[in-house]
């Protein structure tokens, strides 16, 4: 049997390829990448998802000034293009580009679904920037700059004016490790649970109990002895050795939770972040970000250089073939010991004779940084948390 070949499809190939999208212009791609490295080198805290294809700028960004710089550069070079980049916050949000967390601990995820990786958490009363909506999920930015997705049930959307109004109301901070808001002082029905660091509006007091309101309008009663006025709480925050150790040891045994930054569960950097937050400082979310802050005090395992509150970082050292990889962090508490979250919050030692000797962490030690009393761009005071910026 003879085979017959149909040559007509071959005639169509030039037409098919002639209609395909043009590849990216290397000049424009370079401009985009240079701006990314300048304004959004860490995608966890800034969005610069832009490409140039088929004579169009595409993607999204929350860096409008950088986008203006890019478009001005293209215009100056005489490059014709269509600007299809979506600037965030999303226009469909209208003027509701702010939010407050309305539950004790909001789980904030890497993608807009409950099955997605837990990226971080935010406590009740934490102000958020809202950038976009997808279904019932919102892409938000926490005060430490972290970008992730939160379910609508965990936040109250607000305008700038509504948030500014909330800032002016008298607020209290929940100071116990855990507790509840009750529908009445009789404690018959719970309105919400609470964890240390939750921020509420104080409505009235009857002595032993304080009536509080949540950002979504719910009200209830909390025992007065578990609350502290915001101004007093701020004034008493101190990142001293004693305060840091007391807070850290009060969390002993709390289970490890990937993405956790609260009393309900913490990962390693969530633990150090929580210790510092409860003592007046907001530090970056991840260990690989925290290591960029403060002053370096040791790289040679000279423990005499360390002070209580220093952060120890662990991971894989850089080689000729790969970059350094920071995967773990703990806090120095003196006596050759550090406290960290691995499996649970625990104390480990670098003393070979100690029952808590931790050879595993010793072998992957990288260096130690000091945040206390050190100026650092990525560290802010908790007092700056409730500002309408």
């Amino acid at each position: 049997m003879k085979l017959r070949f149909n040559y007509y499809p071959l005639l169509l190939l030039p037409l098919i390829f002639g209609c395909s999208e043009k590849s990216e212009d290397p000049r424009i791609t370079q401009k985009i990448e240079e701006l990314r490295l300048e304004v959004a080198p860490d995608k966890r805290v800034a969005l610069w998802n832009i490409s140039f294809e088929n004579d169009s700028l595409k993607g999204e960004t929350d860096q409008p000034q950088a986008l203006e710089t890019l478009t001005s550069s293209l215009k100056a070079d005489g490059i014709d293009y269509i600007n299809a980049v979506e600037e965030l916050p999303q226009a469909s949000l209208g003027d509701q580009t702010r939010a407050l967390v309305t539950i004790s601990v909001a789980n904030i995820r890497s993608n807009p679904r409950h099955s997605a990786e837990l990226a971080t958490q935010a406590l009740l009363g934490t102000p958020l920037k809202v950038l976009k909506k997808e279904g019932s999920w919102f892409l938000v930015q926490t005060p430490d700059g972290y970008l992730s997705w939160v379910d609508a049930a965990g936040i109250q959307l607000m305008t700038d004016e509504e948030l500014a109004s909330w800032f002016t109301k008298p607020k209290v901070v929940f100071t116990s490790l855990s507790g509840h808001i009750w529908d009445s002082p009789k404690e018959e029905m719970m309105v919400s649970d609470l964890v240390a660091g939750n921020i509420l509006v104080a409505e009235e007091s009857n002595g032993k109990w304080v009536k509080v309101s949540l950002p979504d309008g719910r009200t209830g009663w909390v025992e007065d002895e578990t609350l502290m006025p915001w101004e007093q709480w701020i004034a008493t925050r101190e990142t001293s050795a004693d305060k840091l150790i007391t807070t850290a040891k009060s969390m002993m045994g709390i289970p490890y939770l990937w993405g956790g930054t609260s009393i309900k569960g913490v990962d390693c950097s969530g633990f150090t972040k929580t210790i510092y937050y409860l003592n007046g400082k907001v530090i970056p979310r991840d260990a690989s970000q925290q290591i960029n802050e403060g002053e370096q005090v040791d790289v040679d395992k000279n423990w005499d250089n360390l002070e209580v509150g220093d952060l120890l970082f662990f991971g894989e050292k850089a080689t000729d073939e790969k970059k350094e990889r920071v995967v773990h962090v703990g806090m120095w508490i003196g006596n050759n010991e550090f406290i960290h979250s691995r499996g649970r919050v625990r104390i480990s030692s670098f003393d070979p004779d100690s029952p808590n000797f931790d050879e595993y962490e010793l072998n992957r030690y990288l260096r130690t940084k000091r945040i206390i009393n050190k100026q650092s761009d990525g560290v802010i005071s908790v007092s700056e948390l409730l500002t309408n910026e």
Side-chain angles (χ1 to χ4, degrees):
M1 181 177 67
K2 294 182 179 179
L3 297 177
R4 299 181 63 185
F5 294 92
N6 190 339
Y7 292 96
Y8 292 109
L10 297 177
L11 298 176
L12 296 176
L13 288 177
L15 296 176
I16 293 173
F17 286 105
C19 295
S20 63
E21 289 191 349
K22 299 176 183 177
S23 61
E24 292 188 357
D25 186 320
R27 298 172 301 161
I28 302 174
T29 300
Q30 182 178 355
K31 291 177 184 288
I32 293 172
E33 177 62 11
E34 288 174 350
L35 280 168
R36 184 194 69 78
L37 293 173
E38 178 182 342
V39 302
D42 187 343
K43 65 181 180 181
R44 293 169 293 186
V45 297
L47 279 173
W48 184 256
N49 299 328
I50 295 179
S51 62
F52 186 84
E53 299 174 4
N54 202 29
D55 295 330
S56 293
L57 279 177
K58 300 178 180 180
E60 62 182 5
T61 183
D62 65 344
Q63 304 294 314
Q65 292 184 337
L67 179 60
E68 183 178 350
T69 298
L70 175 61
T71 56
S72 297
S73 176
L74 296 181
K75 183 177 180 180
D77 290 346
I79 299 174
D80 293 327
Y81 66 94
I82 297 171
N83 186 0
V85 175
E86 181 177 33
E87 291 188 43
L88 302 179
Q90 210 170 45
S92 59
L93 292 171
D95 55 1
Q96 289 188 314
T97 58
R98 301 282 185 157
L100 286 167
V101 176
T102 61
I103 54 180
S104 63
V105 178
N107 292 324
I108 307 182
R109 300 188 178 277
S110 58
N111 287 294
R113 56 180 182 273
H114 286 291
S115 59
E117 174 186 72
L118 182 63
T120 190
Q121 294 177 319
L123 302 183
L124 173 63
T126 300
L128 306 169
K129 293 181 180 179
V130 183
L131 297 177
K132 64 186 292 188
K133 180 181 181 182
E134 186 172 316
S136 63
W137 292 80
F138 291 89
L139 179 65
V140 297
Q141 188 167 39
T142 57
D144 57 7
Y146 216 76
L147 293 164
S148 305
W149 293 85
V150 65
D151 185 5
I155 61 172
Q156 177 68 35
L157 291 176
M158 292 183 170
T159 64
D160 284 333
E161 292 74 22
E162 290 169 336
L163 186 59
S165 175
W166 183 84
F167 285 155
T168 65
K169 297 178 181 179
K171 273 168 292 298
V172 289
V173 180
F174 186 72
T175 57
S176 297
L177 287 183
S178 61
H180 306 86
I181 302 175
W182 299 99
D183 68 330
S184 77
K186 295 181 180 180
E187 303 179 56
E188 294 176 335
M189 185 172 71
M190 188 174 73
V191 176
S192 174
D193 72 317
L194 293 171
V195 301
N198 283 172
I199 303 170
L200 302 155
V201 171
E203 299 289 350
E204 62 179 272
S205 173
N206 70 0
K208 182 182 177 182
W209 293 86
V210 177
K211 185 178 182 181
V212 299
S213 64
L214 291 84
D216 57 8
R218 288 178 294 158
T219 61
W221 296 83
V222 182
E223 287 187 277
D224 178 75
E225 64 180 14
T226 64
L227 300 173
M228 187 179 291
W230 170 259
E231 292 78 11
Q232 181 184 349
W233 189 77
I234 287 296
T236 56
R237 296 309 92 191
E238 181 185 355
T239 49
S240 65
D242 290 344
K243 296 280 188 180
L244 290 168
I245 287 181
T246 298
T247 301
K249 288 186 175 180
S250 73
M251 297 174 66
M252 282 286 288
I254 288 178
Y256 180 94
L257 175 65
W258 178 271
T261 61
S262 73
I263 299 301
K264 293 187 176 183
V266 287
D267 59 22
C268 64
S269 55
F271 176 56
T272 52
K273 180 176 176 61
T274 299
I275 296 169
Y276 270 85
Y277 171 75
L278 294 177
N279 288 286
K281 296 295 182 182
V282 178
I283 67 175
R285 171 64 186 90
D286 293 339
S288 60
Q289 297 170 313
Q290 293 176 7
I291 199 171
N292 296 321
E293 306 302 330
E295 177 183 290
Q296 183 167 290
V297 293
D298 179 72
V299 294
D300 300 318
K301 302 181 181 179
N302 186 351
W303 313 129
D304 290 337
N305 291 337
L306 276 55
E307 296 178 1
V308 172
D310 289 348
L311 298 183
L312 289 73
F313 296 92
F314 307 85
E316 299 174 5
K317 295 182 181 294
T319 67
D320 293 338
E321 293 75 30
K322 61 181 181 180
K323 296 181 180 179
E324 177 183 79
R325 185 165 175 258
V326 181
V327 299
H328 192 62
V329 61
M331 189 186 80
W332 191 249
I333 60 174
N335 194 33
N336 287 331
E337 293 181 327
F338 63 100
I339 189 167
H340 60 134
S341 178
R342 193 185 73 210
R344 66 179 186 279
V345 174
R346 65 175 71 207
I347 292 174
S348 290
S349 174
F350 289 144
D351 181 356
D353 296 325
S354 169
N356 294 325
F357 178 55
D358 197 330
E359 185 177 13
Y360 175 69
E361 297 298 357
L362 179 63
N363 289 336
R364 62 176 188 166
Y365 172 77
L366 295 174
R367 57 189 176 276
T368 297
K369 303 293 288 289
R370 183 168 299 153
I371 291 177
I372 298 175
N373 298 324
K374 301 299 178 182
Q375 184 65 35
S376 195
D377 292 340
V379 178
I380 65 171
S381 170
V382 172
S383 61
E384 299 177 57
L385 185 66
L386 296 193
T387 58
N388 194 25
E389 296 297 330

